[in-house]
Amino acid sequence: MQKYFIAPEQFGEQHIQITGSDAHHIVNVMRAKPGATVIVSDGASREAKAMIERCENGAVEARIVELLAADREPAVLVSVAQSLPKGDKMELIIQKCTEIGAARFIPFVSERTIVQYDQKKEAKRLERWGKIAKEAAEQSHRNRVPAIDSTVSWKALTEHYSEYDLVLLCYEDEVGTLLRDVLEPFHRTFHSKAQQSQQEARILVIIGPEGGFSLREVEAAVEAGARCVSLGRRILRAETAGMAACTCIMYQFGELGGV
Amino acid sequence: MQKYFIAPEQFGEQHIQITGSDAHHIVNVMRAKPGATVIVSDGASREAKAMIERCENGAVEARIVELLAADREPAVLVSVAQSLPKGDKMELIIQKCTEIGAARFIPFVSERTIVQYDQKKEAKRLERWGKIAKEAAEQSHRNRVPAIDSTVSWKALTEHYSEYDLVLLCYEDEVGTLLRDVLEPFHRTFHSKAQQSQQEARILVIIGPEGGFSLREVEAAVEAGARCVSLGRRILRAETAGMAACTCIMYQFGELGGV
């Protein structure tokens, strides 16, 4: 069943209203008729199965037939900080990491970022990325749409490390410390603490540009508290590293085919 | 440094020759001049750093300056059986799973495969997929290029289960058994056995089409020895499931950021 995120004010007691591109999707792509059911979410606590009653003037009205309580959000909040990659790779990263379970995306510019950052295009780009995150969250039946931050500098990113319980810098030249060397003990320690506090682990994963990080950047990151980790002996493309790291974290935390 | 796979007969004692599209890539894309170095591999045991001496008539000649012994192949052989997906998604699956470390791809047709399988296009498609696997293996500095099988039927796939130590069917409707429930004990048992035999674990991962498997297909697979596993609470797109499963297996076996 297709899922749609709607604004909280469109989520009534017994009826819900779907407008905009989602209504277009229901009517013209899914070709749904009155009587068909969809899943709707307000992106926070409410989720329901609803039966379509009317499709008129670009809006779809549906009646709630069942309130759902399925929580499909992982118990670990993974933020993916990604140096702006070439072409439309950021779209692939956002789509795939949203399915896998990422909570937030932070694009950044570092020394070797190839793409010329264009402030004027920022609003349009954020809108497009937000749309991709929303669609991927709907498709994978998530309860929340990941947030997408404005592009920041390497320095600004560093200043936000303190908001996280763990900061992982995926570094091609790291050989001593593998991702699991850090992730496993962190998970163990956090898990035993979390049983008292019910808090979700907040992890920041940092992925560099095609040309990697400069030594100066790595030193500054470590100084600020980041842990350098290797993703193994095969060199992953910039857009693959984020998906792989996200997947490993979810697996370690029992959130992707794990317990 | 860019890596190229060359035919064994082009890999001499002191010199190597690069022809075809790889020579074109060196001359016209990398714009390499005599004196530049590349990494070459015969796709089996030999790998070397070589310095370009001549670029003439579409061929590049280089002198071996250092024999390399880097083994970047995982100690687990993961074959990805993928129901033919729509559009060019198979290309993304092959590219990403090759980077992650897959050993082999087996496209198949099952009941709900949406794509119309066209036997006449098979040769062309295999050539294209092979090229993508080769480029991804070069990019990620692997020692081997994954094999890509011809498209098989669901039944034919089932008959090959016995070639593997473990067959995992990623099944959307599976709720009881998560991937890790099967993978962790398998890894533990295999690991202790492998210390005597030095053998690599052979795992087949089966990923269904966009519409999933029919109950009949699942029953036949289980009957033939497959283990149904869930990839968790978020529904992954057909092309994401393979990458995620491959990543989890590599992580579990200490082959992707693990030990």
Side-chain angles (χ1 to χ4, degrees):
Chain A
M1 214 176 300
Q2 183 69 35
K3 176 168 178 171
Y4 299 94
F5 285 102
I6 60 175
E9 62 270 22
Q10 295 182 318
F11 204 117
E13 282 288 311
Q14 290 172 1
H15 286 83
I16 60 102
Q17 212 190 21
I18 304 171
T19 53
S21 64
D22 285 339
H24 172 83
H25 190 266
I26 290 174
V27 175
N28 300 305
V29 180
M30 303 302 285
R31 296 186 183 283
K33 305 274 175 235
T37 49
V38 293
I39 292 173
V40 290
S41 164
D42 68 351
S45 60
R46 287 179 299 172
E47 186 157 330
K49 195 187 281 182
M51 194 175 76
I52 296 171
E53 291 190 328
R54 255 190 304 280
C55 305
E56 276 172 6
N57 307 322
V60 171
E61 269 188 42
R63 187 166 51 83
I64 292 171
V65 290
E66 188 186 348
L67 283 170
L68 303 171
D71 183 6
R72 297 185 189 250
E73 288 302 312
V76 50
L77 297 174
V78 179
S79 297
V80 179
Q82 173 85 45
S83 174
L84 280 178
K86 284 197 284 185
D88 53 8
K89 286 178 184 170
M90 191 69 185
E91 300 184 6
L92 183 71
I93 294 164
I94 291 173
Q95 187 191 64
K96 295 291 160 252
C97 291
T98 297
E99 288 176 56
I100 293 162
R104 187 176 167 195
F105 296 93
I106 310 162
F108 67 86
V109 173
S110 55
E111 270 180 45
R112 297 184 191 154
T113 303
I114 297 166
V115 177
Q116 283 294 323
Y117 172 64
D118 185 347
Q119 170 77 48
K120 277 179 278 180
K121 291 187 186 159
E122 180 80 1
K124 205 154 183 183
R125 199 162 42 192
L126 282 178
E127 191 191 323
R128 169 137 191 80
W129 291 343
K131 193 163 173 276
I132 288 167
K134 177 170 175 284
E135 285 170 2
E138 287 174 348
Q139 192 277 333
S140 56
H141 284 211
R142 289 188 57 174
N143 302 74
R144 280 199 293 267
V145 181
I148 300 178
D149 288 14
S150 297
T151 304
V152 297
S153 69
W154 178 252
K155 192 163 174 288
L157 181 66
T158 313
E159 286 161 4
H160 284 276
Y161 285 2
S162 59
E163 296 166 17
Y164 301 91
D165 301 304
L166 178 64
V167 177
L168 297 167
L169 183 79
C170 298
Y171 183 41
E172 203 178 304
D173 291 337
E174 174 64 45
V175 282
T177 309
L178 296 160
L179 176 60
R180 199 154 118 184
D181 295 337
V182 175
L183 215 46
E184 233 172 27
F186 173 79
H187 177 228
R188 227 180 2 250
T189 314
F190 198 90
H191 190 67
S192 58
K193 265 198 262 168
Q195 287 181 320
Q196 286 129 40
S197 70
Q198 297 277 324
Q199 231 191 349
E200 291 151 326
R202 293 158 302 174
I203 300 181
L204 176 67
V205 177
I206 308 174
I207 312 287
E210 287 83 351
F213 294 111
S214 74
L215 194 58
R216 193 166 54 177
E217 285 173 329
V218 174
E219 285 169 353
V222 170
E223 176 75 22
R227 301 288 306 266
C228 282
V229 291
S230 160
L231 292 178
R233 290 171 296 166
R234 288 166 296 285
I235 295 161
L236 301 178
R237 278 185 170 85
E239 79 273 17
T240 316
M243 305 179 210
C246 258
T247 304
C248 293
I249 296 171
M250 292 297 162
Y251 184 75
Q252 179 68 54
F253 274 76
E255 290 289 349
L256 196 144
V259 212
Chain B
M1 214 177 298
Q2 184 67 34
K3 175 169 181 171
Y4 299 95
F5 285 102
I6 61 175
E9 62 271 21
Q10 295 182 319
F11 204 116
E13 281 289 310
Q14 290 174 2
H15 286 82
I16 60 104
Q17 212 190 21
I18 303 171
T19 53
S21 64
D22 285 339
H24 172 84
H25 190 265
I26 290 175
V27 176
N28 300 306
V29 181
M30 303 301 287
R31 297 185 182 282
K33 304 275 174 236
T37 47
V38 293
I39 292 172
V40 289
S41 164
D42 68 353
S45 60
R46 288 180 299 175
E47 187 157 329
K49 195 188 278 183
M51 194 176 76
I52 295 171
E53 292 190 330
R54 255 190 305 280
C55 306
E56 274 171 9
N57 306 323
V60 172
E61 270 189 40
R63 185 167 51 81
I64 292 172
V65 291
E66 188 186 349
L67 283 170
L68 304 172
D71 184 5
R72 297 186 189 249
E73 288 302 312
V76 52
L77 298 174
V78 179
S79 297
V80 179
Q82 173 86 42
S83 173
L84 281 177
K86 285 196 285 185
D88 53 7
K89 286 178 185 171
M90 192 67 185
E91 300 184 7
L92 182 72
I93 294 164
I94 290 173
Q95 186 190 65
K96 295 289 160 254
C97 290
T98 297
E99 289 175 55
I100 294 162
R104 186 176 169 198
F105 296 93
I106 310 163
F108 68 87
V109 172
S110 53
E111 270 180 46
R112 298 186 190 153
T113 302
I114 296 165
V115 177
Q116 282 294 322
Y117 172 64
D118 187 347
Q119 170 76 50
K120 278 180 280 181
K121 290 186 187 159
E122 181 80 0
K124 203 153 183 185
R125 199 161 41 191
L126 282 177
E127 191 192 322
R128 169 136 192 82
W129 291 345
K131 191 164 174 274
I132 289 168
K134 177 171 174 285
E135 285 170 2
E138 288 173 350
Q139 192 275 332
S140 56
H141 284 213
R142 289 186 59 173
N143 301 74
R144 280 199 295 267
V145 181
I148 301 178
D149 288 13
S150 297
T151 304
V152 296
S153 68
W154 179 252
K155 194 164 172 288
L157 180 67
T158 313
E159 286 159 4
H160 284 276
Y161 284 4
S162 59
E163 296 166 16
Y164 301 92
D165 302 305
L166 179 64
V167 177
L168 297 166
L169 182 80
C170 299
Y171 185 40
E172 203 179 305
D173 291 338
E174 174 62 46
V175 284
T177 309
L178 296 161
L179 176 61
R180 200 155 117 185
D181 295 337
V182 174
L183 216 46
E184 232 171 27
F186 173 80
H187 177 229
R188 227 179 1 248
T189 314
F190 198 91
H191 190 67
S192 58
K193 268 198 260 167
Q195 285 181 323
Q196 287 127 41
S197 71
Q198 296 276 321
Q199 230 192 351
E200 290 152 328
R202 295 158 302 175
I203 300 180
L204 175 67
V205 177
I206 308 174
I207 312 287
E210 288 83 352
F213 294 112
S214 74
L215 194 58
R216 195 166 55 178
E217 285 173 327
V218 174
E219 283 169 355
V222 170
E223 175 75 19
R227 301 287 306 267
C228 280
V229 292
S230 161
L231 292 177
R233 289 172 296 166
R234 287 166 297 285
I235 295 162
L236 302 178
R237 277 183 172 85
E239 79 273 17
T240 316
M243 307 177 205
C246 258
T247 304
C248 293
I249 295 171
M250 293 298 161
Y251 184 76
Q252 178 69 53
F253 274 76
E255 290 289 347
L256 197 145
V259 213

